[in-house]
Structures are given as structure tokens and as C-alpha cells.
Amino acid sequence: MRNRNIFVVGLDELNRQRLAHLRGAEHYRFHGVIEPEEVNDTEIFPIEDMLASAETQLKAFGEPIDAIVGYMDFPVSTMLPLLCERLGTPSTSLESLLKCEHKYWSRLVQKEVIGDYIPRFTAFDPFDSDALQRIGEAGLYMPFFVKPIKSSGSRLGFRIESPEDFAYAVERLCEGIGTISEPFNYVLEHANLPKNVRSVDGGHCMAEEIIGGWQCTVEGYVFQGDVVPYGIVDSIRYPQVLSFFYYRYPSRLPPAIQTKMQDLTRQIMAHIGYDNAAFNVEYFWDEVQDRIWLLEINTRVAQSHCDLFEKVDGVSHQQVTVDLALGQLPDMPHRQGEFKVAGKFFYRVFFSDATVSQVPSAEAIETLQQTFPGTVITLQVEAGMRLSSLSEQDSYSYALAYVWMGADDDIALEDNYARLAEQLHFAFEDIIS
């Protein structure tokens, strides 16, 4: 049997190592297409040029191309159906993907089948001086949350408590939305959209009723029409703010709540018509009202969760992505990893801005990784960097480092991270608090 050629959009060294551990990887040859710096740590996304360059590279390969995959959010997830269609490799349809990624269209589709599990919502144009009035006319009143129609992570998301909050959010949205709206609109031009969706392009935003509670992510896939949720990851926030503290796997939600979320996931993904691809769905469980809310659907595995699945289940859930792209049923193990629980921690500072004057040395990082076996630490900043130059940050903090850890129980996991965090030494100048 010949080796299978699998092209990975934005392939970097960390993920090359993860992919090498997948089941069947001895029969796979992984190749990069589109450099990682073009799709990561940047806010400039010339999708048309990237697609043309990738298509040229792939067609000149000279051997069979068995699969094209990605593990990142916008623009990679949105580009894949277009690229796969051009090269004739398996992928879900562009329209089914956009029913997840176009936040307004996604809510309309969700409302058709699980309307009791989504917040009230409306779309608005941030450049419309009467936007706040129109949101009220749609029956949505403060407090509410606003975000772009196509967002990436928590970027440009704001909680609105007052007209002043809205004015500040709209100013920021108008300044930054073009970096996503222009490339996203290019993708929309290639899709068959309903009239009421086509009029709400990437330059628009969503306003939604505030929802909250215990946040989690259901990871799943669809293979030949069969929707399969296979793991739930908890998302723990810092107290009193929207910034994430860490992701924890497996979930500690009550079993009945996990089962209901899995049922909702099967229902909505089947209704969308999403097929032969991985996804994840983010939910809240409001413990006080015992109510489940669907937050959003993402058309990929969560890259942040790859190491968690490897630690607990035995391999990264990129196994699912690769198997599906090869047209085969995912061979994902369960609870065969080295640890019983795992977490990805976000080491953050809550400044408006600052200049980084010191970061932990490579030797210090290596010592910590040896002290806490199984730990992986990746710095997101370097000395001399202005925090505001970091991409893909939320609106309230900056993540200086990511820390993946495993442990035998939840208490040991948090204790180990607390000990490690005390030994991560950063320093700053020109701090704006």
C-alpha cells in the first residue's frame, strides 16, 4: 500500500509532531500548504491570493493528493471547502459550513429546530448611526452582547451595559471589522445564500441576549450522515471577566446535561446538512435555571483541545480530521492516554497595554516542563513586543503563554498549574492599566 499524501493548511512544527502520533501515521506523508505565518498571528487574510497560491502548489505536486485538512479557525476553516472542491478531495459543502460560521445564518437555522435553546438575536450594521435604536426595535434591550457576523476567537466581542458601552464597542468594531469582513465576503460570493442572509454580509454584527453559566464544548464529527459527539471539554473563565482561565477534559458536567447537549448537537448538525467533517459546538448550562444555551458552532476540531485528547484518550483528535478527509470512519481511541484529566491554561495579564521587557528563558521553560511531566509551554510574546500587537486576543486581557498539563485528578491539575505559574517570570514597561 502506498503512503497517503495529506496536505495541511498552515502546518507548523508543533502540529507536525502531534500528527506523527496518529493511528496509521506510518502510512501518511504530511505536507504543508500555505505557510503558518500567513494564517496565524496575523490579521491580514488575502484569501483569494492564498487560494490561488495553494491551488498552484497542489496541482504541481506530481503525486496523488489524498486529503487536504486544517486545524485552525478563520480563514483556514472557511477556505477548506473551496480548496477541496478545486482539488477533488472530500469536504463538507460550503453552504453547510457557512450555516455554522455565518453567525446570523447559523442562528436562523438553529431557530428552526432548537429555538428554545438559543438566545434572542438580531443583526446590525455597526456603521449605521441608528444601530442601537434598531436593535431595540428588534426587541433586544441592554444588557446584550455584540460580535461580528464572522468572528475569530473572542476578538471584537463586547458586553453592552449602557449606550456608552455600545458607542465604545461600535468604534472598535468599525476600526477592526474590515480585516475579517473583506476576506469573508469573498467566500460568501462563492455560496448559494438565501436573500435574507446575503443582505447581512461580513461587515455586519450580531447583538444577542446575554447568556451564561457553565461553558463547555462538544467535539464531534459527521460521517456519511451520522452525527457522532465523542468528547466534552469544560471552559473555565477567570472570576468576574470574560477571559478564559483554562480548558478541562473530560467535562465535569452532570451526565444528564452532557447527554442532552449531545442530543441537541445531533439534531442541529443533521438539520444543517453538515457531513464528512469535524466540528465542535459551544454551550452554556445555566445551573440556576437548569437551562442549556447553544453559543456557537465551529467547523473544525478545537486546536486548543488537541493535547488534552492526546493526554486523556491517547491521540490528538486531529485523528478525526485526518480520517474524515481520507473518507474513512474516524479511529479515535477513548481513555487510553497517560492522564485521567488534562487542561490548557492561559497565563494572562489584564493590562490595556504594555511593552514586554522580560520573558522566561528557554532553559527555564525546559526545567518547568521536566518538573511537571507531560507539560507543554508555548510563549506568545517576546521581549520588546507591545501587547497590543498580539493578534486573536479577547477585549479584556492578553495571553502571554499557553500551558498544557495532565494529572490524575482535577485538584492536582489546578495545584500543579498554580505552582508552575509562580515560576513563569515576565516583566513589563510602559504599562497602561
Side-chain angles (χ1 to χ4, degrees):
M1 182 179 75
R2 70 170 178 84
N3 287 334
R4 315 291 289 278
N5 291 306
I6 301 168
F7 280 82
V8 185
V9 179
L11 179 62
D12 58 22
E13 187 55 35
L14 177 62
N15 282 285
R16 187 182 291 276
Q17 293 172 17
R18 287 173 175 159
L19 292 167
H21 298 159
L22 298 186
R23 292 179 166 187
E26 66 273 16
H27 303 299
Y28 302 156
R29 293 168 57 200
F30 292 103
H31 313 270
V33 59
I34 305 180
E35 293 300 316
E37 57 268 20
E38 294 184 62
V39 291
N40 199 19
D41 297 328
T42 180
E43 295 181 358
I44 307 300
F45 305 115
I47 282 186
E48 185 173 5
D49 294 341
M50 287 192 288
L51 282 170
S53 175
E55 184 177 2
T56 299
Q57 176 188 340
L58 291 166
K59 288 184 174 179
F61 180 56
E63 296 181 30
I65 297 171
D66 298 287
I68 306 171
V69 301
Y71 47 78
M72 285 182 278
D73 196 359
F74 186 83
V76 175
S77 59
T78 320
M79 293 166 56
L80 278 173
L82 295 173
L83 193 56
C84 290
E85 182 181 32
R86 295 180 186 185
L87 276 298
T89 60
S91 171
T92 194
S93 70
L94 179 60
E95 285 75 17
S96 69
L97 179 138
L98 289 172
K99 286 179 185 178
C100 305
E101 295 214 0
H102 187 298
K103 301 308 179 189
Y104 182 62
W105 195 6
S106 189
R107 286 300 193 206
L108 292 176
V109 174
Q110 293 164 30
K111 189 175 181 180
E112 293 171 358
V113 290
I114 56 169
D116 291 341
Y117 300 92
I118 65 172
R120 288 175 296 160
F121 65 94
T122 189
F124 70 93
D125 181 351
F127 295 93
D128 179 1
S129 59
D130 294 323
L132 185 58
Q133 177 182 337
R134 298 187 195 283
I135 291 170
E137 291 170 352
L140 198 58
Y141 305 102
M142 291 179 280
F144 54 78
F145 195 78
V146 299
K147 59 185 176 182
I149 286 293
K150 178 67 196 101
S151 56
S152 180
S154 300
R155 182 172 172 269
L156 295 178
F158 302 90
R159 182 184 174 100
I160 307 302
E161 300 274 0
S162 67
E164 292 75 20
D165 288 346
F166 187 75
Y168 171 77
V170 162
E171 182 179 1
R172 293 280 304 277
L173 286 162
C174 290
E175 288 173 356
I177 200 170
T179 59
I180 291 182
S181 66
E182 292 179 16
F184 189 56
N185 285 342
Y186 172 80
V187 175
L188 294 180
E189 290 170 3
H190 290 75
N192 182 20
L193 305 176
K195 183 177 180 180
N196 62 334
V197 173
R198 185 166 292 281
S199 62
V200 181
D201 67 8
H204 284 71
C205 296
M206 290 284 285
E208 295 191 341
E209 177 186 5
I210 296 292
I211 56 177
W214 185 326
Q215 187 171 353
C216 69
T217 301
V218 176
E219 294 279 357
Y221 64 84
V222 189
F223 179 66
Q224 297 181 358
D226 186 22
V227 183
V228 181
Y230 58 83
I232 300 180
V233 179
D234 292 334
S235 301
I236 314 300
R237 296 182 184 270
Y238 281 86
Q240 308 303 317
V241 293
L242 293 174
S243 303
F244 288 116
F245 175 29
Y246 73 105
Y247 302 141
R248 175 181 60 209
Y249 179 66
S251 173
R252 289 171 54 191
L253 279 164
I257 299 300
Q258 295 192 43
T259 297
K260 181 61 179 179
M261 288 178 175
Q262 291 168 339
D263 290 343
L264 291 170
T265 298
R266 293 186 186 95
Q267 190 173 0
I268 186 58
M269 298 311 294
H271 180 67
I272 284 171
Y274 193 81
D275 202 5
N276 299 316
F279 66 86
N280 67 70
V281 186
E282 298 178 51
Y283 290 96
F284 284 115
W285 174 48
D286 184 331
E287 198 169 354
V288 175
Q289 299 185 53
D290 191 21
R291 183 167 185 178
I292 293 172
W293 299 100
L294 190 155
L295 177 58
E296 65 180 15
I297 305 170
N298 300 299
T299 55
R300 53 175 171 75
V301 299
Q303 185 182 177
S304 288
H305 300 165
C306 290
D307 195 72
L308 309 187
F309 279 92
E310 184 165 353
K311 282 178 166 45
V312 175
D313 287 338
V315 298
S316 163
H317 62 334
Q318 287 167 319
Q319 183 80 49
V320 171
T321 298
V322 170
D323 284 342
L324 290 168
L326 290 169
Q328 59 198 34
L329 180 68
D331 183 21
M332 188 69 195
H334 184 72
R335 305 298 187 264
Q336 296 181 23
E338 183 179 352
F339 301 95
K340 292 182 179 178
V341 298
K344 176 190 178 180
F345 292 85
F346 297 81
Y347 185 96
R348 297 184 182 274
V349 290
F350 294 85
F351 302 149
S352 293
D353 206 355
T355 298
V356 181
S357 58
Q358 175 187 320
V359 300
S361 66
E363 293 78 10
I365 295 296
E366 181 60 30
T367 297
L368 286 171
Q369 291 180 157
Q370 294 298 324
T371 303
F372 300 93
T375 294
V376 177
I377 303 170
T378 61
L379 300 183
Q380 304 303 301
V381 297
E382 56 188 30
M385 177 183 288
R386 195 70 178 161
L387 291 179
S388 55
S389 69
L390 285 168
S391 62
E392 300 300 320
Q393 302 296 304
D394 65 36
S395 301
Y396 305 95
S397 67
Y398 296 98
L400 307 183
Y402 302 147
V403 181
W404 288 270
M405 306 185 79
D408 288 334
D409 57 55
D410 296 315
I411 294 175
L413 183 67
E414 289 199 11
D415 287 348
N416 288 346
Y417 173 73
R419 289 165 53 207
L420 181 147
E422 290 177 350
Q423 301 174 66
L424 281 177
H425 300 304
F426 294 85
F428 306 92
E429 298 174 345
D430 305 320
I431 297 173
I432 302 174
S433 58

